[in-house]
Amino acid sequence: MSQKRLPAEIYWRRRLLFLALVIALIWIGTKVLGGGGDPKAKPEPTATSTATATSIPAPTEGALTVKLTSATRSCDAEKIRVTPTVKPGQLTKGPVEVGLVVSSTEDTACTLTPAAADLLVVISANKVAVWDSTVCKTSLLTDPVAISPGWATLAEASWSGRGSGNKCSVKEGFATPGTYTIQAGTLGGEPGKTTFTLNPKPKPKPTETKTTPKPKGTTKPADE
């Protein structure tokens, strides 16, 4: 007895139904075996490496205090840097104020004494020496200078305003008005130089002499 073949549509429907059943079973198994939790729960964020910046507080305005360290140890003259400076408005026929900015490349504090400094100073005009410390055998530094590492110290000095000549006599004439160059440095150290101008000293105003006026209409006494 022969069986009749079913139509092709029935075979395709059965196959699609079977395929849908398999997909449903796979989906249910995934949810059960995967431990399905609360679908509304947010996933935990993955850990990421972040750099932590160390903040340095900004300095308060006006709170910086500078304290220069003094020392009895003498400075090494070869590690000294000198930069001369002259205030504007200097006049002839008198002392000239000179500033010496002194610093050291040493790592520790030291004191620069006039004797150990062996400071060389030359003041010239048109490349001609007007005053030379080696001729006068004297130093513009008169007091010890304390120097701290990383800082510069301003030492005040004074030039007589006269030339040195051959013997550095006190009778040497004063420098004339004009532009000058001053060079300063320790023996073996780093020298510095700058230019400055000497202005003519104003002439003193003549003093007015008061004369007693003669009275008008003066008559001689009559002869008796």
Side-chain angles (χ1 to χ4, degrees), residues 68-69 81-83 99-104 110 141 144-148 150-156:
L68 298 180
T69 305
R81 179 180 182 180
V82 182
T83 304
L100 300 174
V101 181
V102 186
S103 59
S104 173
C110 62
L141 282 178
V145 180
I147 304 175
S148 294
W151 294 93
T153 303
L154 176 61
E156 296 181 354

Side-chain angles (χ1 to χ4, degrees), residues 142-193:
T142 57
D143 299 319
V145 180
I147 304 175
S148 294
W151 294 93
T153 303
L154 176 61
E156 296 181 354
S158 179
W159 169 46
S160 64
R162 296 179 181 271
S164 57
N166 295 327
K167 298 181 179 180
C168 197
S169 172
V170 293
K171 296 182 180 180
E172 291 290 337
F174 285 101
T176 58
T179 302
Y180 293 81
T181 300
I182 177 172
Q183 295 176 289
T186 56
L187 187 61
E190 184 178 351
K193 68 178 181 178

Side-chain angles (χ1 to χ4, degrees), residues 104-117:
S104 173
T105 58
E106 297 187 74
D107 297 331
T108 56
C110 62
T111 300
L112 185 67
T113 59

